[in-house]
Amino acid sequence: MIVQIRRHFRLILNYIDINWKNSTEYRKDFIILFFDFIVITLLSIIFWRAVFGNTDQLGNWQFEELVILGIFGSTSWALSDFFAGAWQLPEKITQGALDKYLTKPIHPLFAAIMESMQLEETCKGVLAFTLLSIVASVKYNYSITITNVLLSIVILVIGVCIISLMRIFFSLFTFWIGQSNGLNVILHLEDFNFERYPIDIFGKYLKYLLTWCIPVGYLATYPTVIFLRKSENNLIIFLLGVLVLATWFIIVSFLWKRGIKRYEANGG
Amino acid sequence: MVDDKRNIRDNFFKYLSVLRIASVIKKAYILDFIGKLIYLPINLSILYLVWYRIFQYMGIERLNDYSLLELYRYYYVVRIVGYSTSFYKQISYKIWNDITYGEISKFLCRPISYLKYQFFYGLGYIRYNLLISVPLFLIGTLLFRNQQLSISSIIFFLASLSLSIITTFFFNTLIGLITFWTEAIFGVKDLILHVGMIFSGALIPLEFLPRYIALIGWLLPFNSMVYIPVSIGLGNLSEITVFKYLLIQLVWIIILASMTTQIWSWGQRRYEAQGG
């Protein structure tokens, strides 16, 4: 088991190395993408500034806190591009491109996802998150601790992994129904901008839904409340996140095992 | 004269076939189509929920002179317009791909225009989006009991929406054609798209923002793509203003189409078909 984990970890490093070379091929584009990330975060801030024209507070949220929520929200989508292969999975299945991975001594799903990572998006997310969170912390003087900052990042990573597993889950339906991008469109959560709003505003039932079923709360709201020390249930939030992640991992593994038996490589 | 007529007819049927091919591809995966069919109603329902909860949570009746219904109606039409033009927003990536991997070579040696091909191919997809978005616009009009919206306003909206679709095509094609001079366009494409969200009123109504942002917006084509069709779709404008807005859209189409044709012509001279 440990040998397997070490081997896969080494493989991830190799994929990162290869993708880094691809990403740095377009250096000017990388710099523009970095500025784009800042604009995306600004969209969220402009939105809340306009809304706060009428009031000082949104429930128990102040404008300064929603700035951090916006930073976490945009970072989450940038980080999720590390698993960009989830979007390309339906095409690989319908075109028979999985053959390449099936003949290698490596888990085919793992290889298919890792091969298509968009490292430049992830890097710009990490860089811009660091810069923006420092600027915001200095400007608004948040009361933060190293432990809380680190824990909020862990929660964010858990959230990104859960959403990526959900995307893989829907992509795997391609084995049964052919092209399944239509289903993925429903999961194109960026369009719904859930991460822009604190999930408290949706009320009790929807808050549960956005924590358990479509856990977008783990992309922005929960990392923000931990970052700003607004929550006393950090451990519960962490354990719940791990539980949801493990559940989705089991579901995806099960579906993959069933789906791969139906693979016909008809496009290959 | 007879030859000219025949040429025009042949050209028409040639590009109509492209449109049909795109439609057949779109229809091939029925569940994929159904997924996209339910996407917009889900999106619009969530939008209402979000604004309803924001108003309730803040305990306010109006937000910058907009009631909940007025604000929702605004975003409703923004989403309708956005969904209708969505295919052409991605066309710059397709053009980048075709130029980078030498795919346009096959168009250069065939009696078919690459740009017209892309336009009609996209139209094959967009017509399905319109099958969903236009009825939803009409349903929204009935549901919100928008008294200001008459039959003529609806016709003006459809005309403005069509012009918005064409403007979106030319604007994004121009971004795609930058590939002839640069290695990648992803950053530029996304940056322009996101900056455009501020100036076009897609993020928040322009009345919420400082006046100079709205003024800058009028100097750029973003308003023609979102703000103008949305304003006409809300039915609050006088007929003279509507005609003025439609004229602005037409002017932007002429400017962008001329630029696209010229840049396409210059770009072909730089094309190297490395991947071809």
Side-chain angles (χ1 to χ4, degrees):
Chain A
M1 180 73 177
I2 293 170
V3 177
Q4 279 285 322
I5 292 170
R6 276 179 62 186
R7 187 166 162 263
H8 279 82
F9 186 70
R10 230 181 11 251
L11 280 166
I12 291 174
L13 290 180
N14 286 343
Y15 277 118
I16 287 176
D17 187 37
I18 295 164
N19 274 283
W20 178 247
K21 282 170 187 158
N22 285 337
S23 304
T24 48
E25 196 183 342
Y26 305 120
R27 281 184 194 172
K28 283 178 205 156
D29 204 57
F30 180 81
I31 296 165
I32 298 170
L33 277 171
F34 176 77
F35 284 110
D36 176 51
F37 181 91
I38 292 174
V39 171
I40 294 172
T41 312
L42 275 176
L43 290 180
S44 205
I45 296 171
I46 291 171
F47 175 83
W48 284 117
R49 176 49 75 200
V51 171
F52 272 77
N54 279 45
T55 182
D56 296 332
Q57 210 147 349
L58 178 76
N60 57 347
W61 289 85
Q62 289 174 338
F63 173 74
E64 293 79 10
E65 295 169 339
L66 291 167
V67 169
I68 281 291
L69 185 90
I71 295 171
F72 270 109
S74 43
T75 307
S76 64
W77 297 123
L79 293 188
S80 72
D81 279 333
F82 188 79
F83 303 102
W87 292 112
Q88 294 166 20
L89 207 54
E91 204 178 336
K92 284 181 178 170
I93 295 170
T94 49
Q95 292 182 356
L98 280 188
D99 296 6
K100 179 169 95 175
Y101 311 106
L102 288 166
T103 52
K104 287 179 182 170
I106 179 175
H107 195 286
L109 182 60
F110 173 81
I113 300 295
M114 285 296 121
E115 191 191 62
S116 305
M117 69 169 76
Q118 289 182 3
L119 205 58
E120 68 277 17
E121 293 284 333
T122 312
C123 286
K124 83 170 184 193
V126 173
L127 280 173
F129 172 78
T130 312
L131 178 76
L132 291 173
S133 53
I134 290 172
V135 171
S137 300
V138 170
K139 184 169 168 57
Y140 297 119
N141 203 16
Y142 303 125
S143 143
I144 50 174
T145 63
I146 295 288
T147 323
N148 280 58
V149 172
L150 290 177
L151 186 60
S152 66
I153 293 168
V154 170
I155 297 293
L156 172 68
V157 172
I158 289 175
V160 168
C161 291
I162 295 170
I163 294 295
S164 302
L165 280 170
M166 288 175 73
R167 282 177 177 164
I168 296 169
F169 171 79
F170 279 91
S171 294
L172 290 177
F173 280 99
T174 309
F175 284 122
W176 287 273
I177 61 172
Q179 190 65 262
S180 68
N181 279 333
L183 290 172
N184 251 337
V185 162
I186 302 167
L187 263 186
H188 212 282
L189 295 164
E190 292 98 319
D191 292 352
F192 299 123
N193 295 323
F194 274 127
E195 79 290 352
R196 185 179 285 163
Y197 317 102
I199 59 169
D200 321 28
I201 69 164
F202 294 111
K204 195 174 147 193
Y205 297 110
L206 267 169
K207 189 180 168 183
Y208 284 132
L209 182 81
L210 296 172
T211 302
W212 288 96
C213 300
I214 313 168
V216 284
Y218 279 90
L219 296 179
T221 305
Y222 291 132
T224 306
V225 295
I226 291 173
F227 185 93
L228 297 170
R229 296 166 70 191
K230 276 170 78 84
S231 164
E232 287 165 3
N233 304 319
N234 293 357
L235 187 67
I236 295 173
I237 293 172
F238 172 74
L239 290 175
L240 271 178
V242 173
L243 184 66
V244 176
L245 180 67
T247 310
W248 275 106
F249 186 80
I250 292 165
I251 293 170
V252 167
S253 304
F254 173 76
L255 200 68
W256 166 259
K257 279 179 191 158
R258 298 291 293 267
I260 198 66
K261 287 178 189 161
R262 292 182 57 90
Y263 180 61
E264 290 171 346
N266 47 11
Chain B
M1 189 69 179
V2 176
D3 277 354
D4 279 354
K5 272 188 180 172
R6 190 177 294 161
N7 271 340
I8 291 168
R9 200 190 61 194
D10 286 353
N11 261 328
F12 176 74
F13 283 113
K14 189 161 65 183
Y15 293 110
L16 198 65
S17 306
V18 173
L19 192 149
R20 280 196 195 126
I21 290 166
S23 303
V24 170
I25 293 171
K26 176 93 177 170
K27 276 199 295 187
Y29 299 103
I30 189 69
L31 273 173
D32 185 57
F33 177 65
I34 292 169
K36 284 170 185 165
L37 195 79
I38 58 173
Y39 164 78
L40 192 57
I42 291 176
N43 196 316
L44 292 170
S45 311
I46 290 171
L47 186 71
Y48 181 76
L49 179 78
V50 165
W51 280 107
Y52 174 75
R53 293 297 308 183
I54 288 178
F55 270 68
Q56 202 182 46
Y57 210 68
M58 292 172 103
I60 51 170
E61 294 282 318
R62 301 186 82 79
L63 189 63
N64 288 5
D65 290 338
Y66 274 75
S67 68
L68 171 64
L69 192 65
E70 284 166 343
L71 198 60
Y72 179 63
R73 212 158 56 194
Y74 177 86
Y75 280 112
Y76 188 94
V77 187
V78 167
R79 295 287 162 100
I80 296 273
V81 172
Y83 184 77
S84 306
T85 57
S86 57
F87 187 85
Y88 284 148
K89 282 180 195 157
Q90 300 303 324
I91 206 150
S92 48
Y93 175 73
K94 176 88 178 67
I95 294 171
W96 171 82
N97 195 62
D98 287 350
I99 295 172
T100 307
Y101 296 105
E103 287 290 314
I104 59 166
S105 301
K106 65 184 177 199
F107 290 94
L108 296 177
C109 55
R110 282 178 193 170
I112 190 163
S113 153
Y114 175 73
L115 296 179
K116 283 182 192 163
Y117 175 89
Q118 290 301 347
F119 180 76
F120 282 94
Y121 190 84
L123 220 50
Y125 274 77
I126 280 177
R127 73 174 185 168
Y128 283 100
N129 287 11
L130 291 173
L131 277 177
I132 300 162
S133 61
V134 173
L136 273 175
F137 172 74
L138 298 174
I139 291 167
T141 307
L142 291 173
L143 275 178
F144 308 137
R145 294 182 190 89
N146 192 350
Q147 308 289 350
Q148 290 153 311
L149 211 63
S150 59
I151 299 288
S152 62
S153 304
I154 292 170
I155 293 167
F156 284 139
F157 170 70
L158 294 178
S160 180
L161 182 64
S162 309
L163 295 175
S164 159
I165 290 169
I166 300 169
T167 314
T168 309
F169 169 76
F170 282 118
F171 185 73
N172 287 286
T173 300
L174 264 178
I175 298 172
L177 292 179
I178 298 172
T179 314
F180 283 122
W181 289 269
T182 57
E183 300 157 325
I185 54 150
F186 313 112
V188 177
K189 176 180 89 73
D190 289 349
L191 186 64
I192 293 174
L193 183 86
H194 292 127
V195 169
M197 280 184 75
I198 303 170
F199 292 113
S200 66
L203 176 71
I204 205 131
L206 292 178
E207 294 85 349
F208 284 35
L209 299 169
R211 243 181 114 74
Y212 66 90
I213 291 187
L215 283 172
I216 296 170
W218 283 108
L219 299 172
L220 301 165
F222 300 116
N223 281 5
S224 285
M225 290 186 266
V226 183
Y227 184 73
I228 291 180
V230 171
S231 304
I232 295 175
L234 291 172
N236 302 332
L237 305 172
S238 65
E239 277 201 2
I240 296 168
T241 316
V242 170
F243 280 119
K244 204 170 81 184
Y245 277 8
L246 291 174
L247 192 68
I248 292 171
Q249 283 187 297
L250 271 173
V251 169
W252 270 115
I253 288 175
I254 293 166
I255 293 170
L256 292 171
S258 314
M259 285 171 73
T260 306
T261 318
Q262 190 56 55
I263 289 173
W264 169 249
S265 154
W266 288 337
Q268 280 180 77
R269 290 178 216 158
R270 289 182 59 91
Y271 179 59
E272 288 171 351
Q274 300 151 322

